[in-house]
Amino acid sequence: MDALNRRVAERLAAAGSPRTGPGPLADLARELLKWNRTVRLTALPDEEAILEALVLDALDIAQEIPAGSTVADVGSGAGFPGLVIAWAIPSVRVISIEARQKKVTFQEHAARLLGLDNYRAFAIRITPQSVKEGLFGKPGSFSRLTAQALGTPAFVLNLAGELLGPDGRALFIRGPAFEASERAELAASAPEWKIESVVRLEPRRHRENAVRVVCRRAAR
């Protein structure tokens, strides 16, 4: 566990976070497990697995989020990566969008546990129409978008890409399927978006091959 805590602390530093210790994130992991006994929130079995699979991924994404950003976390499930990002970078504002009320209820509880005043969760299904109607904020008003469990980058960008402003970035952690098929899908079905960077991440207990993908709008 000490080695895992060091890795969390290293990611916090890499993200430019003012937080210096992983303690509250361990508290979050334990709370997730506690709720998971009655509300299905995760299939991960223990605190270490949550820190490794959810928290480290969130902090890898946080490295691509400048201070002061407005972040949309769509299809956010139990609140990852948005909860971790909002805690790690207090100057950002995170809007979490999740259709299932029971998961939003956990997110709201977790935000109170972490003392977050820069996090808001919506129990609304993300659709192009709900984006167009501005149910989460004015379209184009977000500088960063992320979605960890909603679908492929092409699917997410076609669904919610209009949340992003002209210079916005979409951030994803993807597995081996990214190079095998998702890169080609993005080029074919979402040609208005281009890949800005792909960074391979270190192996983890629950996932050996993953990359961080950053997308932005193609130049017109």
Side-chain angles (χ1 to χ4, degrees):
M1 193 69 172
D2 287 345
L4 182 53
N5 285 338
R6 284 195 297 272
R7 291 162 71 191
V8 171
E10 289 167 0
R11 296 301 199 292
L12 287 168
S17 173
R19 314 292 192 181
T20 57
L25 297 177
D27 292 341
L28 174 62
R30 287 190 288 270
E31 197 70 9
L32 180 62
L33 289 170
K34 178 181 175 181
W35 276 58
N36 205 49
R37 296 170 194 159
T38 55
V39 180
R40 184 66 168 170
L41 296 171
T42 181
L44 295 168
D46 54 46
E47 179 184 336
E48 288 192 24
I50 291 169
L51 288 171
E52 193 160 28
L54 297 181
V55 171
L56 287 181
D57 274 3
L59 293 174
D60 278 325
I61 288 173
Q63 294 177 38
E64 295 288 341
I65 300 177
S69 296
T70 303
V71 181
D73 182 14
V74 301
S76 54
F80 295 87
L83 286 166
V84 177
I85 291 168
W87 179 81
I89 313 176
S91 66
V92 307
R93 182 170 66 94
V94 175
I95 299 298
S96 171
I97 305 165
E98 166 56 46
R100 290 157 290 190
Q101 179 62 59
K102 64 182 181 180
K103 295 194 173 185
V104 169
T105 299
F106 172 77
Q107 290 183 39
E108 292 170 340
H109 169 75
R112 290 191 295 271
L113 179 73
L114 294 170
L116 303 179
D117 59 7
N118 59 337
Y119 185 93
R120 184 179 179 189
F122 288 86
I124 303 174
R125 185 173 300 280
I126 185 80
T127 65
Q129 185 62 30
S130 63
V131 171
K132 183 179 180 180
E133 291 174 0
L135 298 185
F136 324 107
K138 184 179 178 181
S141 63
F142 292 85
S143 55
R144 294 294 183 271
L145 179 149
T146 189
Q148 285 303 89
L150 192 59
T152 65
F155 176 82
V156 171
L157 288 167
N158 283 323
L159 189 69
E162 292 307 308
L163 288 170
L164 286 170
D167 297 320
R169 300 291 190 275
L171 314 171
F172 305 96
I173 303 293
R174 304 304 298 168
F178 179 75
E179 295 295 351
S181 62
E182 293 176 4
R183 182 189 284 270
E185 180 194 9
L186 187 65
S189 65
E192 67 274 27
W193 297 91
K194 67 175 292 184
I195 297 167
E196 183 174 74
S197 65
V198 178
V199 175
R200 186 163 298 282
L201 303 176
E202 69 176 9
R204 295 177 192 160
R205 178 160 56 116
H206 290 271
R207 188 204 60 223
E208 292 188 359
N209 297 302
V211 292
R212 181 180 63 219
V213 181
V214 180
C215 299
R216 65 175 178 84
R217 282 188 172 85
R220 294 177 185 265

